[in-house]
Every structure is written in structure tokens, then in C-alpha cells.
Amino acid sequence: MDISAGIQASLAGRYASALFDLASENGVVSAVESDLDRLEAGMQQSAELRLLTSSPKVGRNVAERALAQVGSLLGFSDLTGKFLGTLAQNRRLSHLPAMIRAFRTIAAAQRGEVSAEVTSAHALSDTQLDQLKARLTAREGRTVKLTSRVDPDLLGGLVVTIGSKRIDASIRNRLNSLAQAMKA
């Protein structure tokens, strides 16, 4: 498997790569990816879960037990549960968001997909997301796996990130450009 040097060089990338290798050997890549998606959603919704994974005050054993309960509640695979336990014991839980992103990137590359994130001021409809996905797929020449998020600070428009490329068509960016032009 060809993984970019940037992913392999980072701590999060090394953990994600190891998790992907284990998941691949056991044939549970999809299950682990689904587990990580649910965990990320839980971290976005729960301040307590974010605190559990980011606070240095939480002890290793406490974090491991708490994550085992979260995993049991959310129905995580055994591999995901063991992975989270390892992270807790090695005090690496603060790197979990980056590990999830790296795992997604590795899994998408293995499937021949490219990941893209679209940020908009308001939630996009399914039709809008499908149209955007079709255009990005045509542009990239590969299947695009699209995730979306909302950032009201954009005021309007979109910001699309595909790998290291960023397309900023937000009103906030246009206003900032206009303000810079007026200063000159």
C-alpha cells in the first residue's frame, strides 16, 4: 500500500497506518471506519467525550474504562476498542481527531477515492451535495467521498478542501479580499 510520506511521518499517521494494517488483515476496514465516524460524531456532540480525549488530567485507566463503555454503547468492533485502549494507555488520545482523518485518508486511497470536505454557511441539501460531489468527481477523475460541515462565520458560499487543495468561494473571503484591495 502506498501511503504518502506526510501521513507516515506524523504520529497520528503512524497510529492510523497501524490500525489500517490490522483492520485490513482482519477484513474489518469498513467496520473500523464506521466506528471512527461514530466516535468523531460523538466527540462533536459531547463536551464530556471531548474532555475525556483531550484532558491530561484524566488518568490512563480511567480513560480506557470510559472509552470501553463508550465503545460498548456505540457497538464498536473489538479492534477499535483495543485501539482506543492502546491510545489511552500511551496517552495519545489528544491526537485522536488527526488519527481519524489519517485513517480516512488511507482507507479512501486504498479504495481509489479522494476525500473532500465542504464547509458552508448553512446546511446543504442532499441534492446540492450530490451535485457538488458529481462536479468534484468529474474534476478529480476519481470518486470523491464528501463530508460537509456548517460554519456560520462564512456568511455564504462554500469552502471545499480536497487533500491539500482549497477552493474558497465564501462571502467572508470575498469581503476580506475587497477590504485588502481598498487598503492598497
Side-chain angles (χ1 to χ4, degrees):
M1 172 175 54
D2 182 31
I3 303 170
S4 77
I7 289 176
Q8 287 180 329
S10 70
L11 177 105
R14 289 192 304 271
Y15 273 90
S17 181
L19 177 60
F20 182 83
D21 290 345
L22 288 170
S24 185
E25 286 173 14
N26 293 310
V28 293
V29 172
S30 295
V32 170
E33 193 169 13
S34 177
D35 292 345
L36 294 176
D37 287 344
R38 287 194 311 276
L39 179 61
E40 182 180 53
M43 289 170 57
Q44 289 173 353
Q45 294 172 359
S46 170
E48 292 84 9
L49 186 54
R50 277 193 309 275
L51 185 62
L52 173 71
T53 60
S54 63
S55 176
K57 294 180 180 180
V58 178
R60 297 171 197 229
N61 294 332
V62 170
E64 184 176 13
R65 283 193 306 272
L67 285 171
Q69 290 176 348
V70 168
S72 175
L73 181 69
L74 295 177
F76 289 169
S77 67
D78 289 340
L79 181 58
T80 303
K82 290 178 183 176
F83 177 72
L84 293 173
T86 300
L87 293 181
Q89 287 302 315
N90 292 344
R91 292 206 163 276
R92 299 292 190 227
L93 287 172
S94 62
H95 298 277
L96 190 55
M99 290 175 197
I100 293 172
R101 284 190 303 276
F103 186 90
R104 277 193 194 124
T105 301
I106 294 166
Q110 191 67 14
R111 289 188 300 263
E113 295 176 346
V114 63
S115 295
E117 181 181 89
V118 61
T119 306
S120 58
H122 306 285
L124 298 175
S125 70
D126 289 340
T127 304
Q128 290 170 320
L129 288 172
D130 290 342
Q131 290 173 347
L132 182 60
K133 184 177 179 178
R135 287 186 180 172
L136 291 173
T137 297
R139 178 179 182 210
E140 293 297 313
R142 297 187 281 175
T143 303
V144 174
K145 184 175 181 184
L146 194 61
T147 57
S148 65
R149 65 184 192 92
V150 175
D151 180 3
D153 291 340
L154 292 180
L155 303 176
L158 302 172
V159 177
V160 180
T161 306
I162 305 171
S164 62
K165 294 179 273 184
R166 180 177 219 132
I167 304 164
D168 192 342
S170 66
I171 292 176
R172 178 180 62 190
N173 184 49
R174 291 180 189 171
L175 290 173
N176 287 342
S177 297
L178 183 60
Q180 291 298 322
M182 290 174 68
K183 286 181 183 178

